[in-house]
């Protein structure tokens, strides 16, 4: 008797493998809208309908679907292609950012009845979104429309929907592994069980005898060259301390060997059969202990690796003083000193790290390595692969499909190197896709910080001195360690005017999972400490916290001074911090200082409010480069070629808006090619909030230059006196009463041997700054430690807001992610440095019910540097959230909490201790 299952109305008779889940069965048959997010039924990205009922297909055995009707997101639309009402709603509201979770939300929503729609927090318990902050999803479910279709040339400042929106809601947007590669082999990694050990012997013979295994790679197969997994425009910013496969392992979870086989199961079995003999070495997991004399040395490397003091495990450090802090403290009427601690946080992008690579023949007939990767930095990854394997740039192609979330975690080369090595050895396509567990112990985290702050102020609230000591735990490898440490003590201190400042900061190796780039890039950790101290100083001097900040913050046109070192290309090209603080003042006045009775607060609960603010550079230092080309096509439409990857950051939309404005056309007449080293020119990458202010400026320059070309050519062709007599319309050029269509103009240019095309370049310097302020009003149950957020207000100085809907989504998503880090997210390690929270159900992510509806306000500023007055707004909303929350908690309880996360048990224990006296 044959097996039978109907998928989206089509019969399939292939019998599933023993133990195969429905998700894998569906994806193997090309239904790529079904996503792999967690392997455990925690995220909902794999949700499908079985006989009309939503199920998590990663938990549903494929064999149980026999005789049933399975519907995936691709099957939601009717036979004529008409979108399902829920798909239309998500498209109209743009209820997504990266879109990796969207199919799951669509399938869940489509099955909700009226009663379930009235209780969305319960209805969405099985779905997670890491990007949106959930407001856009709620709006989609409620049928709220946000997207607009503006007139030609009027796209900037309007709510244009994402160009890939139709593909996202129909499940046809292609992420990294949503492709069919013939002859594909699968890779699995053997990882270290020890925090620090030397490999004395490694035997792969038994692994190679496993049926289906083709290759086993060890350190004997790896290049000797050292490099950094971090990706920056200038590789010398990061320490070269990593080897592709090393004979010394430095943390539990480090890759030891790789096995490539016909199936994942065979590769896993091959890993199990590898025999490794280790010599265990002393290890250290605490950064303060790691700097102490006699501590185990994590890296015995020379100066060529650019490690500051390897003998003390210090990968990077910064020391500086402006004025004399001791004199400043002597002048102070109030001095406050405290130590703050922030934890490891996982990026938790729903698409895990992964790459698939193969050889292909280019147009020139030459064979080259092609790597398709979930990366924020295709060009830098190509350059790193070429350096590692001694290849020329033309021999390697790196491309990214749509990326399912990044948040800085994919500003690394974590998987591409080992996959490339396997492909070069086998000359066959190879795939490596991290499991959710590997994402926790085999990728990177946010840097845990210890921040000691000492600050002094006069009785009128004027700061006299600010001193900060930072110890950042970079883990076993340095990658972004020095850069994160340096950035952390930059704008966090420069935003305040204290005449005397001092900093000592250390990025320290330990035998634990490496840390890397994470939204805010170190600034959020130090802002938590500094803003908490400012709030405490305000209270102790009797000055209102908002007034205290207004007295001490940097003003428009002032020189930014940080003891960590001056960044000469950084300036205040527009200023909205005063407006941000006024938004907070307005919220406080609207809300009042009552007992919370109007907020439905139970009797006995404590109510408080608090503020945090931050400043951030609108781009990374040292140059962040983007090249763009805009050209007229044969059919009279336009093409943009730009390197920036799209992962929900919205740069694709903004680039089309900028181009539409410059060329007086509509966005539907503009195509865009991106994140493929073969078809676009260089782009440093989608990180450092540079998608709008760097790549966007390159696109603007190209589009403006093309507009001039079109007008000049049309004027000559039509015999107009001057280009100023001509003007562009959506599909033509009008010159002194005569009209030529863009199609005709293209043909005329071709006949004259000319292509109407223009290039734009921007190097990311000079840079401006963006400002943010967050305010919370909350209530605390002293009997249980439960906290309820009564109101959340965020003020953002983004300059000219290119797309308010999209920018608001970035703010809401940043606030939601920061609330997770503030309240419960914590990558826990045991005493040996082993990650013990390697699953979503052990690692608490914000869900729909956890996130308040934040009121987002944009300031009225226009930046002198950013394209059309725009500034960045991807990272910055994250930074002021934790201190605002902690300050509100201090206001409610009278207790200064100094360690994140502010879990319910931690809050209750502090309240209980205070009550006991």
């Amino acid at each position: 008797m044959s097996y039978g299952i109907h998928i989206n109305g089509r019969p399939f008779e292939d019998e599933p493998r023993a133990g195969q889940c429905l998700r894998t069965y569906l994806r193997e048959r090309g239904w790529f809208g079904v996503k792999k997010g967690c392997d455990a039924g925690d995220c909902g990205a794999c949700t499908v309908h079985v006989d009309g009922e939503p199920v998590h297909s990663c938990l549903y055995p494929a064999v149980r679907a026999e005789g049933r009707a399975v519907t995936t997101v691709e099957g939601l639309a009717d036979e004529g292609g008409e979108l399902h009402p829920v798909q239309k709603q998500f498209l109209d509201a743009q209820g997504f950012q990266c879109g990796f979770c969207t199919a799951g939300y669509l399938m869940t929503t489509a099955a909700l009845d009226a009663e379930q729609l009235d209780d969305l927090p319960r209805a969405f318990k099985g779905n997670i979104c890491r990007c949106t902050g959930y407001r856009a999803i709620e709006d989609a479910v409620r049928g709220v429309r946000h997207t607009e279709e503006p007139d030609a040339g009027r796209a900037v400042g309007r709510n244009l929907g994402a160009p890939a929106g139709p593909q996202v809601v129909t499940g046809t947007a292609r992420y990294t592994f949503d492709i069919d590669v013939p002859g594909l082999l699968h890779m699995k990694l053997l990882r270290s069980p020890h925090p620090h050990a030397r490999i004395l012997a490694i035997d792969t013979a038994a692994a190679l005898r496993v049926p289906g295994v083709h290759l086993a790679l060890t350190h004997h197969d790896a290049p000797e060259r050292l490099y950094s997994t971090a990706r920056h425009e200038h590789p010398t910013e990061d320490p070269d301390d990593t080897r592709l496969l090393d004979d010394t392992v430095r943390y539990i979870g480090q890759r030891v060997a790789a096995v490539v086989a016909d199936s994942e199961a065979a590769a896993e079995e091959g890993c199990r059969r590898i025999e490794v003999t280790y010599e265990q070495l002393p290890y250290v997991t605490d950064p303060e202990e790691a700097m102490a004399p006699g501590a185990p040395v994590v890296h015995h490397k020379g100066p060529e690796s650019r490690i500051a003091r390897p003998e003390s495990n210090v990968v990077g450090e910064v020391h500086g003083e402006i004025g004399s802090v001791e004199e400043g403290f002597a002048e102070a009427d109030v001095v406050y000193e405290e130590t703050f601690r922030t934890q490891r946080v996982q990026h938790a992008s729903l698409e895990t790290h992964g790459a698939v690579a193969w050889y292909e023949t280019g147009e020139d007939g030459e064979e080259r390595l092609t790597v398709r990767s979930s990366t924020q930095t295709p060009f830098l990854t190509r350059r790193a692969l070429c350096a590692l394997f001694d290849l020329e740039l033309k021999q390697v192609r790196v491309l990214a499909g749509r990326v399912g979330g990044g948040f800085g975690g994919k500003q690394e080369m974590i998987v591409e190197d080992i996959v490339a090595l396997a492909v070069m050895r086998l000359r066959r396509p190879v795939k490596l896709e991290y499991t959710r567990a590997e994402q926790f112990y085999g990728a990177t985290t946010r840097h845990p910080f210890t921040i000691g702050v000492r600050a002094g102020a006069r009785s009128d609230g004027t700061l006299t001195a600010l001193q900060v000591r930072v110890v950042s735990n970079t883990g076993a490898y340095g990658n972004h360690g020095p850069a994160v440490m340096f950035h952390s003590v930059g704008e966090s201190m420069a935003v305040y005017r204290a005449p005397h400042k001092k900093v000592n900061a250390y990025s320290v190796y330990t035998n634990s999972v490496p840390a890397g780039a994470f939204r805010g890039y170190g600034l959020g950790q130090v802002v938590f400490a500094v803003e908490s101290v400012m709030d405490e100083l305000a209270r102790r001097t009797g000055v209102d916290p908002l007034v205290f900040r207004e007295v001490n913050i940097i003003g428009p046109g002032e020189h930014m001074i940080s003891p960590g070192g001056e960044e000469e290309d950084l300036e205040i090209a527009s200023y909205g911090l005063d407006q941000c603080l006024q938004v907070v003042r307005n919220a406080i006045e609207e809300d009042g200082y009552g007992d919370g009775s109007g907020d439905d607060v139970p009797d006995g609960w404590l109510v408080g409010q608090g503020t945090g603010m931050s400043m951030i550079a609108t781009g990374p230092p040292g140059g962040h480069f983007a090249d763009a080309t805009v050209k007229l096509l044969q059919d009279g439409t336009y093409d943009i070629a730009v390197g920036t990857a799209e992962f929900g950051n919205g740069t694709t939309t903004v680039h089309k808006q900028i181009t539409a404005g410059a060329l007086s056309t509509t966005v539907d007449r503009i195509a865009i090619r991106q994140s493929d080293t073969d078809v676009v020119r260089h782009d440093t990458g989608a990180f450092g909030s540079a998608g709008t202010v760097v790549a966007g400026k390159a696109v603007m320059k190209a589009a403006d230059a093309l507009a001039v070309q079109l007008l000049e050519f049309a004027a000559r062709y039509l015999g107009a006196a001057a280009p100023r007599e001509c003007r562009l319309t959506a599909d033509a050029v009008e010159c002194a009463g005569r009209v030529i269509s863009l199609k005709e103009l293209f043909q005329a240019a071709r006949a004259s041997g000319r292509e109407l095309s223009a290039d734009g370049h921007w190097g990311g310097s000079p840079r401006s700054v963006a400002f943010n302020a967050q305010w919370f009003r909350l209530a605390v149950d002293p009997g249980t430690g439960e906290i309820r957020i009564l109101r959340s207000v965020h003020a953002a100085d983004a300059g000219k807001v290119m797309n308010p809907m999209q920018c608001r989504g970035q703010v809401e998503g940043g606030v939601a992610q920061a609330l997770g880090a503030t309240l419960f997210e914590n990558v826990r390690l045991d005493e040996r440095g082993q990650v013990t929270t390697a699953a979503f159900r052990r690692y608490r992510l914000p869900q729909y019910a956890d996130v308040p509806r934040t009121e987002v306000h944009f300031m009225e500023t226009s930046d002198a540097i950013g394209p059309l007055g725009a500034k960045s707004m991807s990272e910055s909303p994250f930074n002021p959230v934790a201190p605002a929350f902690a300050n509100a908690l201090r206001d409610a309880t009278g207790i200064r909490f100094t360690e994140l996360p502010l879990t319910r048990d931690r809050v209750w224990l502090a309240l209980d201790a205070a009550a006991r006296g």
Side-chain angles (χ1 to χ4, degrees):
M1 180 173 147
S2 64
Y3 181 86
I5 175 176
H6 276 72
I7 304 172
N8 297 328
R10 290 171 51 190
F12 286 81
E13 296 183 353
D14 319 30
E15 190 168 350
R17 297 188 300 275
Q20 186 176 29
C21 71
L22 181 58
R23 181 201 65 207
T24 305
Y25 182 88
L26 293 168
R27 286 187 59 81
E28 287 180 354
R29 280 144 192 84
W31 304 109
F32 294 126
V34 184
K35 299 305 182 196
K36 174 184 177 180
C38 67
D39 307 303
D42 295 330
C43 75
C46 68
T47 302
V48 301
H49 293 174
V50 177
D51 288 342
E53 291 294 320
V55 302
H56 287 174
S57 60
C58 69
L59 298 181
Y60 194 95
V63 70
R64 285 184 56 192
E66 182 178 5
R68 299 177 185 270
V70 175
T71 305
T72 73
V73 68
E74 294 97 331
L76 268 187
D78 65 21
E79 293 182 1
E82 181 72 18
L83 292 182
H84 187 281
V86 170
Q87 290 173 307
K88 290 181 181 177
Q89 289 168 212
F90 270 73
L91 194 58
D92 288 345
Q94 192 159 314
F96 56 87
Q97 284 183 28
C98 84
F100 200 80
C101 70
T102 304
Y105 271 99
L106 288 165
M107 301 309 292
T108 299
T109 304
L112 298 179
D113 58 28
E115 182 179 350
Q116 291 169 318
L117 284 168
D118 285 338
D119 190 2
L120 291 182
R122 179 175 293 276
F124 288 145
K125 282 187 69 174
N127 294 81
I128 291 172
C129 175
R130 189 56 158 167
C131 297
T132 65
Y134 298 103
R135 172 177 172 171
I137 292 171
E138 180 184 0
D139 286 351
V141 174
R142 302 299 183 207
V144 178
R145 183 184 179 104
H146 293 303
T147 58
E148 302 176 83
E149 297 179 7
D151 296 334
R154 298 182 178 178
V156 172
R158 306 294 289 274
N159 295 329
L160 268 77
Q167 289 75 44
V168 169
V169 301
T170 56
T172 56
R174 292 294 176 246
Y175 296 80
T176 306
F177 296 115
D178 296 344
I179 57 171
D180 183 20
V181 181
L184 184 65
L185 301 177
H186 300 268
M187 175 183 285
K188 285 293 181 180
L189 300 174
L190 176 67
R191 297 182 178 276
S192 169
H194 304 298
H196 199 190
R198 185 176 296 111
I199 297 173
L200 300 180
I202 186 165
D203 188 348
T204 62
L208 293 170
R209 289 195 293 269
V210 174
V213 168
H214 293 264
L215 178 69
L217 296 168
T218 72
H219 64 271
H220 296 297
D221 305 292
E224 293 287 343
R225 180 173 285 121
L226 295 176
Y227 58 98
S228 172
T229 63
R231 301 272 58 83
H232 283 111
E233 180 63 42
H234 306 291
T236 54
E237 291 183 26
D238 309 299
D240 287 338
D241 58 7
T242 302
R243 190 180 169 205
L244 193 150
L245 289 168
D246 208 332
D247 58 359
T248 299
V249 291
R250 296 175 175 86
Y251 69 99
I252 296 174
Q254 180 171 331
R255 62 192 189 193
V256 171
V259 175
V260 182
D262 291 331
S263 67
E264 289 188 1
E268 287 175 348
E269 181 60 24
C271 287
R272 282 190 285 270
R273 296 196 187 187
I274 294 176
E275 298 178 6
V276 186
T277 303
Y278 294 98
E279 175 193 0
Q280 295 192 48
L281 302 172
Y283 63 89
V284 60
T285 58
D286 180 88
E288 292 284 4
E289 294 176 7
M291 288 192 290
V297 175
V298 178
H299 285 276
H300 294 274
K301 291 180 171 66
E304 67 278 4
S305 286
R306 297 183 301 281
I307 300 171
R309 288 187 286 126
E311 71 283 357
S312 299
N313 293 315
V314 175
V315 61
E317 58 190 327
V318 59
H319 307 280
E321 185 170 13
I322 297 167
S324 168
V325 291
E326 290 308 315
E327 290 181 14
F329 291 128
E331 297 169 4
D333 297 309
V334 176
V335 175
Y336 179 72
E337 184 171 3
E338 187 55 88
T339 298
F340 298 82
R341 292 178 174 82
T342 65
Q343 79 284 27
R344 288 178 179 83
V345 178
Q346 234 293 320
H347 305 81
S349 50
L350 288 194
E351 183 188 39
T352 59
H353 281 81
V356 56
W358 61 91
Y359 273 105
E360 66 181 4
T361 302
E363 294 180 358
D364 57 1
E366 296 293 323
E367 191 178 48
R368 66 201 167 156
L369 177 68
T370 298
V371 182
R372 181 181 173 95
S373 169
S374 184
T375 178
Q376 296 173 227
T377 58
F379 283 87
L380 302 189
T381 298
R382 177 180 68 163
R383 187 170 66 190
L385 291 173
C386 290
L388 179 59
F389 297 116
D390 293 319
L391 300 172
E392 296 180 28
L393 289 178
K394 67 180 181 179
Q395 294 177 283
V396 179
R397 175 191 182 192
V398 176
L399 68 154
R402 190 171 177 90
V403 177
F407 315 112
K410 294 172 181 175
Q411 192 191 340
E412 306 266 358
M413 185 175 70
I414 291 180
V415 294
E416 297 89 345
D417 50 358
I418 188 75
V419 172
L421 178 61
V423 172
M424 293 169 69
R425 290 285 298 272
L426 291 170
R427 318 295 291 186
R428 295 250 330 249
V430 175
K431 166 189 173 182
L432 172 60
E433 182 177 11
Y434 271 18
T435 64
R436 181 52 57 187
E438 285 180 298
Q439 199 73 7
F440 278 96
Y441 55 68
T444 61
T445 72
R446 188 189 193 206
H447 285 79
F449 270 45
T450 300
I451 313 107
V453 183
R454 189 181 184 208
R458 296 188 179 93
S459 57
D460 63 359
T462 305
L463 280 173
T464 61
L466 176 60
Q467 180 174 341
V468 173
R469 180 182 185 270
V470 165
V471 176
S472 168
N473 185 347
T474 199
Y477 290 90
N479 41 28
H480 291 269
V484 166
M485 175 268 304
F486 181 86
H487 186 237
S488 74
V489 294
E491 297 97 280
S492 61
M493 298 185 73
V495 73
Y496 285 104
R497 281 201 205 99
H500 306 284
K501 296 179 182 179
K502 184 176 182 179
V503 64
N504 289 294
Y506 308 86
S507 180
V508 185
Y509 285 125
T510 62
N511 295 110
S512 57
V513 59
F518 188 100
R519 198 174 200 164
Y521 212 65
L523 203 54
Q525 293 95 313
V526 178
V527 166
F528 165 60
V530 170
E531 285 296 290
S532 295
V533 167
M534 294 305 159
D535 190 77
E536 201 64 40
L537 274 178
R539 294 178 180 279
R540 293 172 185 234
T541 56
V543 178
D544 176 89
L546 282 183
V547 173
F548 185 92
R549 287 175 171 83
E550 289 168 339
V551 167
N552 291 295
I553 56 174
I554 195 169
E558 291 187 31
H559 193 56
M560 287 172 283
I561 300 174
S562 172
E566 188 174 337
E567 297 181 55
E568 295 181 356
D569 71 334
L570 191 60
E571 59 188 79
I572 301 175
S574 62
Y575 186 83
L577 184 52
D578 52 348
Q579 296 179 47
C580 290
L581 294 178
Q582 186 59 46
V583 166
V584 171
R585 177 171 280 106
N586 293 344
I588 293 172
E589 291 174 355
E590 293 165 8
D591 220 59
Y593 282 95
D595 59 4
S597 57
D599 298 305
D600 194 26
V601 176
D603 291 341
W605 284 47
L606 309 172
V607 178
Q609 59 87 22
T611 304
M613 63 166 217
S614 63
M615 176 176 74
I616 188 171
T618 60
H624 192 109
F625 305 142
D627 294 294
T629 300
V630 181
K631 65 181 178 180
L632 179 66
L633 301 179
Q634 184 172 359
D635 62 357
T637 62
Y638 297 99
D639 173 84
I640 306 170
V642 63
T644 302
E646 175 63 62
F647 55 100
N649 45 349
T651 53
T652 306
T653 317
V654 168
H655 295 165
K656 292 184 75 167
Q657 287 179 271
I658 290 171
T659 302
L663 297 172
S664 299
T665 190
T666 54
V667 291
D668 61 302
R669 298 183 61 80
I670 302 170
I672 188 164
R673 294 174 294 150
Q674 57 196 148
S675 45
D676 183 339
T677 60
D678 248 26
V679 300
V680 297
R681 296 188 299 142
H682 181 79
D683 187 282
T684 296
F687 65 88
S689 303
T692 293
V693 297
V694 178
K697 190 150 184 175
V699 169
M700 182 189 75
K701 285 175 172 287
D704 285 344
L706 179 59
V708 172
Q709 281 189 34
L710 294 172
L711 295 175
E712 289 178 345
F713 187 84
R716 286 198 302 272
Y717 184 74
L718 296 175
R724 65 175 176 272
E725 297 181 17
C726 303
R727 72 179 187 91
L728 286 164
T729 66
D731 57 1
V733 182
E734 298 178 359
C735 291
R738 299 179 63 190
V739 178
I740 181 171
S741 72
L742 293 177
K743 287 183 182 180
E744 293 176 83
L745 199 66
F746 178 91
Q747 295 298 338
R750 172 181 280 182
S752 67
R754 181 174 177 185
E755 181 182 57
L756 294 172
S757 174
D759 296 331
H761 171 81
W762 182 242
S765 181
R767 300 172 296 146
S768 186
V769 289
F771 300 97
N772 295 75
Q774 173 71 40
W775 178 80
F776 286 112
R777 183 169 172 79
L778 53 79
V780 186
D781 180 1
T784 65
E786 179 184 347
I787 303 173
R788 293 184 190 175
I789 299 172
L790 306 177
R791 192 175 175 196
S792 172
V793 176
H794 192 98
D797 173 23
K800 171 64 176 177
V801 178
M802 312 295 276
N803 187 314
M805 168 189 68
Q806 186 172 275
C807 195
R808 188 196 72 194
Q810 289 290 306
V811 173
E812 291 165 349
V815 171
Q817 193 174 41
L819 276 172
T822 301
L823 290 173
F824 31 72
E825 291 188 49
N826 191 1
V827 178
R828 295 183 181 274
L829 276 58
D830 65 16
E831 67 280 356
R832 299 174 67 242
Q834 182 168 5
V835 175
T836 61
T837 50
F840 280 161
R841 62 187 56 194
R842 296 192 188 98
Y843 179 83
R844 176 92 152 77
L845 284 172
Q847 293 183 285
Y848 183 97
D850 298 314
V851 180
R853 199 172 176 94
T854 294
E855 304 163 34
V856 178
H857 300 262
F858 292 118
M859 305 305 98
E860 295 183 3
T861 60
S862 181
D863 200 67
I865 296 174
L868 304 177
K871 295 198 280 193
S872 62
M873 197 46 58
S874 293
E875 295 182 87
S876 58
F878 189 103
N879 297 326
V881 171
F885 197 97
N887 291 339
L889 194 57
R890 164 70 167 87
D891 190 49
T893 65
I895 300 171
R896 171 57 61 190
F897 289 86
T898 61
E899 185 171 353
L900 297 179
L902 299 171
T903 54
R904 183 170 172 173
D905 58 339
R906 182 170 285 163
V907 171
W908 179 82
L909 286 170
L911 287 166
D912 184 63
R916 294 172 183 271

